[in-house]
């Protein structure tokens, strides 16, 4: 843990007059999986949207690879190499699986061969998508759409990838698959990951470090293996 | 004696399809902006009028350029106008909290453009001499040259647009923007720039419509009022937001109003398409081609 990829330094974020995040600071280092856990409305999605420039903080800085990015528009943040796999997947329903993947590489100028190779890489990771490559994304099941959203995110060969509740609404077997893939992405492609989850047990089990967010404030942070043992965390997030 | 006696079917059919193409182009032009911004551009009629004036008033009448140059410069001017309107008005408007205010914004824009036309080119209607005013005689059938051009050019415009959506990166990005703006931005698409491009394309199509309508009507600020409204109906009948729907709806209105006048007096033909739109709104509000909602 030496090379810092991303840091949030005391950011405040508002929706109109209402403050959603209070003085949030967090770091992600090379090679890490970092998770943010917290209940509904805690501000997890807001944190990710702020990193992506979909919402700009009123105070504080966001530094990515040494550059302040808190004022950049979203497409520039993507150009810098951050990919966000959003809550609710947001695949393009009227486009085919293949074109969805192609759009994931929008920020890159791949040659035809490179594009094909990137797609094959994703199909290796998610063979189900290959079988359905000409199907409209809107007609996929929830689990398949989640796979597509992840695969689409990987198409641009990101330097950091963020997942927002990848397990939401999925059957337990599929949840296991999705988390296995996230760990694989981290290990095999060596991409640092920031993960938001309500499934706190899963998040704590696969991550190196975890931040606990409550009502827009980070209340606890530390090594996931320590937090999973803590009585407070067990009570609040792991059902005893 | 049958009511069909003396009806020249070929002439009616060509007229119907040509007018249908105009309505289809109009429906396409505002569908582009609707899909990109979620706004119904109530200023679209004034865009067409502006195109007609730039072409007929400036490049033809005042500067007497050759037709091809006048057409090219009109389309370039319309593209620039589109980018200006998108970046100064439509992009800010789409971020307003209430769509109703944004709609009012486009209505005001329409008044401004019409006033600018009146002040720049005068309020007297005029014609473009020597532009698509010949006719072709086939036996007893007299086909106006402009109708043939309208049909051919509409087919070209609509095919190019489809190819643009299917084959180019910018075209695909426009489809993504119309489906989900946040998701499009997360792909690295510059959403505002994509909308600027969309409005530029829509404005170019308005320019084409204005040029094609110049030989059909006198150039004046209300030259396409009736066509613009029927183009609007075409979108509703075909299915709001759908490009195939825009084409089907346009052609259908063209056919119904032309062949309708066999049965009813021709002064009623406008009422016919508006009546048809209301019937569609009542019995099939999604139009012929219903859009799948995500
Ligand atoms: N677009 C918005 N406008 C106004 N308030 C918002 C908006 N989006 C979120 N909020 C508010 O900001 C706070 C944080 O919301 P956020 O979506 O970040 O929570 P979350 O931790 O992601 O919750 P969940 O687990 O339900 O996804 C909530 O109080 C929410 O009501
Ligand atoms: Mg959330």
């Amino acid at each position: 843990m030496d090379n810092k990829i991303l840091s949030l330094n005391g950011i405040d974020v508002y929706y109109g007059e209402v403050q959603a995040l209070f003085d949030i600071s967090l770091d992600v280092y090379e090679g890490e999986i970092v998770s943010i856990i917290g209940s509904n409305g805690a501000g997890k999605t807001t944190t990710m949207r702020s990193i992506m420039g979909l919402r700009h903080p009123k105070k504080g800085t966001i530094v990515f690879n040494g550059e302040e990015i808190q004022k950049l528009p979203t497409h520039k943040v993507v150009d810098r190499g951050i990919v966000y796999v959003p809550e609710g997947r947001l695949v393009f329903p009227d486009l085919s699986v293949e074109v969805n993947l192609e759009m994931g590489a929008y920020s890159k100028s791949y040659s035809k061969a490179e594009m094909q190779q990137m797609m094959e890489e994703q199909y290796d990771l998610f063979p189900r998508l290959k079988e359905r490559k000409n199907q409209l994304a809107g007609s996929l099941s929830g689990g398949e759409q989640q796979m597509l959203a992840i695969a689409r995110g990987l198409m641009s060969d990101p330097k950091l990838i963020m997942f927002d509740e990848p397990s939401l609404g999925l059957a337990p077997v599929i949840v296991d698959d999705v988390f296995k893939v996230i760990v694989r992405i981290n290990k095999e492609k060596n991409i640092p990951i920031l993960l938001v989850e309500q499934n706190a047990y899963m998040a704590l089990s696969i991550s190196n470090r975890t931040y606990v967010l409550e009502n827009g404030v980070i209340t606890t942070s530390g090594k996931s293996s320590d937090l999973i043992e803590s009585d407070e965390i067990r009570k609040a997030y792991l059902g005893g | 004696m049958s009511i069909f006696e003396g009806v020249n079917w070929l002439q009616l059919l060509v007229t119907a399809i040509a007018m249908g193409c105009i309505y289809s182009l109009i429906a396409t032009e505002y569908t582009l902006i609707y899909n990109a911004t979620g706004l119904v551009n109530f200023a679209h009629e004034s865009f067409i009028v502006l195109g007609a004036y730039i072409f007929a008033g400036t490049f033809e009448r005042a500067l007497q350029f050759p037709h091809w140059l006048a057409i090219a410069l009109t389309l370039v001017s319309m593209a620039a106008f589109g980018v200006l309107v998108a970046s100064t008005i439509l992009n800010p408007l789409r971020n307003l909290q209430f769509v109703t205010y944004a709609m009012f914004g486009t209505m005001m824009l329409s008044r401004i453009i019409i006033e600018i036309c009146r002040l720049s080119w005068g309020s007297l209607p005029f014609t473009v001499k020597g532009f698509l005013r010949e006719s072709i005689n086939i036996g007893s059938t007299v086909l106006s040259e402009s109708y043939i051009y309208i049909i051919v050019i509409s087919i070209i415009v609509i095919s190019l647009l489809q190819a643009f959506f299917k084959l180019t990166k910018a075209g695909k990005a426009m489809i993504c923007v119309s489906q989900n703006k946040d998701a499009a931005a997360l792909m690295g698409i510059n959403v505002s720039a994509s909308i600027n491009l969309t409005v530029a394309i829509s404005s170019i199509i308005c320019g084409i419509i204005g040029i094609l309508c110049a030989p059909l009507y006198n150039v004046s600020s209300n030259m396409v009022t009736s066509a613009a409204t029927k183009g609007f109906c075409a979108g509703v009948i075909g299915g709001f937001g759908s490009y195939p729907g825009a084409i089907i709806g346009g052609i259908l209105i063209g056919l119904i109003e032309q062949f309708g006048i066999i049965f009813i007096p021709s002064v009623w033909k406008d009422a016919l398409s508006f009546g048809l739109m209301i019937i569609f709104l009542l019995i099939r509000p999604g139009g012929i081609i219903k859009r799948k909602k995500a």
Side-chain angles (χ1 to χ4, degrees):
Chain A
M1 291 218 303
D2 38 347
N3 235 339
K4 199 188 277 188
I5 288 275
L6 175 79
S7 62
L8 275 57
N9 308 301
I11 65 165
D12 285 352
V13 177
Y14 289 76
Y15 288 104
E17 299 288 298
V18 183
Q19 188 165 359
L21 297 183
F22 299 82
D23 198 35
I24 298 290
S25 295
L26 67 83
D27 302 308
V28 178
Y29 292 87
E30 200 85 73
E32 271 194 315
I33 299 182
V34 173
S35 64
I36 304 176
I37 59 175
S39 44
N40 287 114
K44 306 181 295 294
T45 298
T46 305
T47 305
M48 300 216 143
R49 291 178 67 86
S50 307
I51 296 168
M52 291 315 294
L54 288 164
R55 199 92 221 162
H56 297 286
K58 235 183 199 165
K59 184 189 123 289
T61 60
I62 301 174
V63 179
F64 181 65
N65 275 334
E67 182 194 8
E68 284 195 12
I69 59 162
Q70 72 273 9
K71 291 205 170 71
L72 293 183
T74 306
H75 65 274
K76 295 238 166 91
V77 176
V78 176
D79 280 346
R80 299 296 190 275
I82 308 184
V83 155
Y84 172 46
V85 179
E87 191 175 1
R89 0 249 197 243
L90 307 189
V91 297
F92 299 109
D94 296 345
L95 296 177
S96 68
V97 166
E98 192 155 62
V99 178
N100 265 273
L101 290 180
E102 205 183 309
M103 296 318 293
Y106 183 86
S107 61
K108 297 284 175 172
S109 30
Y110 290 146
S111 69
K112 260 211 161 79
E114 286 169 321
M115 179 73 86
Q116 204 51 50
Q117 193 209 322
M118 284 309 279
M119 280 196 189
E120 285 307 324
E121 265 182 44
Q122 313 321 321
Y123 290 145
D124 284 347
L125 209 52
F126 302 105
R128 289 172 79 93
L129 292 181
K130 186 164 193 171
E131 295 159 27
R132 290 167 173 70
K133 66 181 183 183
N134 296 317
Q135 206 170 313
L136 292 185
S139 69
L140 298 179
S141 74
E144 290 161 351
Q145 288 192 17
Q146 186 61 59
M147 293 171 196
L148 177 58
I150 296 174
R152 185 181 64 176
L154 291 170
M155 282 296 290
S156 65
D157 191 20
K159 298 197 179 81
L160 169 73
I161 185 159
M162 311 198 294
F163 296 100
D164 195 340
E165 306 217 23
S167 72
L168 195 71
L170 302 184
V173 259
I174 301 180
V175 172
D176 283 347
D177 285 348
V178 167
F179 281 106
K180 274 187 200 133
V181 163
I182 292 175
V183 173
R184 253 183 90 184
I185 292 168
N186 176 252
K187 292 282 169 302
E188 290 175 17
K189 297 181 193 281
N190 200 26
I191 302 173
I193 288 171
L194 185 58
L195 169 72
V196 154
E197 259 299 332
Q198 282 202 45
N199 185 336
Y201 181 74
M202 267 299 181
L204 288 164
S205 336
I206 70 164
S207 60
N208 303 90
R209 290 187 303 114
T210 294
Y211 293 86
V212 180
L213 195 58
E214 284 171 14
N215 301 320
V217 180
I218 289 177
T219 51
T220 317
S221 67
K223 283 176 78 169
S224 304
S225 52
D226 294 343
L227 292 182
I228 210 166
E229 302 296 332
S230 127
D231 286 343
E232 255 171 81
I233 299 292
R234 295 184 82 93
K235 255 210 201 85
Y237 297 102
L238 302 175
Chain B
M1 204 173 99
S2 140
I3 52 167
F4 298 119
E5 208 161 302
V7 171
N8 187 328
W9 295 100
L10 181 62
Q11 197 163 325
L12 267 189
L13 186 67
V14 172
T15 311
I17 292 180
M19 291 316 295
C21 283
I22 293 284
Y23 307 147
S24 299
L25 285 182
I26 292 173
T28 301
E29 149 263 296
Y30 78 79
T31 298
L32 276 164
I33 293 186
Y34 175 73
N35 283 350
T37 63
L39 299 177
V40 177
N41 176 21
F42 285 110
H44 75 119
E45 181 189 343
S46 69
F47 286 24
I48 298 173
V49 170
L50 179 69
Y53 270 111
I54 293 176
F55 170 71
T58 300
F59 294 128
E60 286 278 340
R61 191 178 61 173
L63 300 172
Q64 307 209 324
F65 285 166
H67 296 319
W68 67 267
L69 185 60
I71 292 169
L73 291 175
T74 302
L75 300 186
V76 171
S77 315
M78 287 305 288
F81 166 77
V83 172
L84 181 74
V85 168
S87 46
T88 59
I89 300 172
L90 290 178
N91 255 319
L93 278 182
R94 83 183 160 89
N95 294 321
L96 285 185
Q97 209 157 357
F98 300 103
V99 179
T100 331
Y101 294 172
M103 302 272 174
F104 270 115
T106 68
M107 284 182 202
M108 295 308 114
L109 175 64
S110 165
R111 294 313 310 160
I112 294 166
I113 295 169
I114 293 293
E115 276 306 290
I116 290 174
C117 287
R118 205 175 55 82
L119 294 171
S120 317
W121 289 283
S123 48
L124 284 181
F126 60 94
T127 59
V128 194
K129 292 192 184 66
F131 180 67
L132 304 189
R133 290 200 172 255
E134 309 281 311
S135 313
I136 303 161
N137 295 305
I138 306 171
S140 63
T141 311
V142 184
L143 295 181
S144 131
E145 187 189 16
S146 59
Y147 286 156
I148 309 293
Y149 272 93
I150 286 171
I151 295 169
V152 172
I153 290 180
S154 301
I155 293 170
I156 294 173
V157 167
I158 283 163
S159 314
L160 282 179
L161 192 63
Q162 283 309 315
F164 175 71
F165 283 142
K166 290 259 149 48
L167 303 177
T168 71
K169 206 169 166 179
K172 288 177 197 169
M174 270 165 62
I175 296 191
C176 291
V177 168
S178 71
Q179 289 187 19
N180 190 313
K181 289 183 184 44
D182 280 352
L186 291 172
M187 299 301 104
I189 296 167
N190 182 340
V191 173
S192 295
S194 174
I195 289 176
N196 290 354
L197 178 64
T198 309
V199 179
I201 293 174
S202 173
S203 302
I204 290 173
I205 296 177
C206 286
I208 293 173
I209 299 167
I211 294 168
L212 289 173
C213 284
L216 301 183
Y217 313 104
N218 288 331
V219 177
S220 73
S221 62
N222 54 14
M223 60 187 280
V224 287
T225 303
S226 152
T229 318
K230 286 180 209 156
F232 191 82
C233 297
V236 174
I237 291 170
F240 221 76
S242 150
Y243 296 104
I247 296 159
I248 294 170
I251 301 292
L252 193 66
I253 290 184
L255 289 171
I256 287 173
E257 70 172 5
Q258 290 305 321
F259 288 94
I261 58 179
I262 300 174
F263 305 100
I264 55 164
S266 68
V267 286
W268 285 91
K269 75 176 186 187
D270 284 6
L272 197 64
S273 46
F274 304 142
L276 194 66
M277 178 177 94
I278 290 175
I279 291 170
F280 260 90
L281 284 176
L282 293 175
I283 62 172
R284 196 176 163 87
I288 295 171
I289 299 204
K290 273 203 184 128
R291 243 182 136 217
K292 332 173 241 319
K293 266 276 158 264

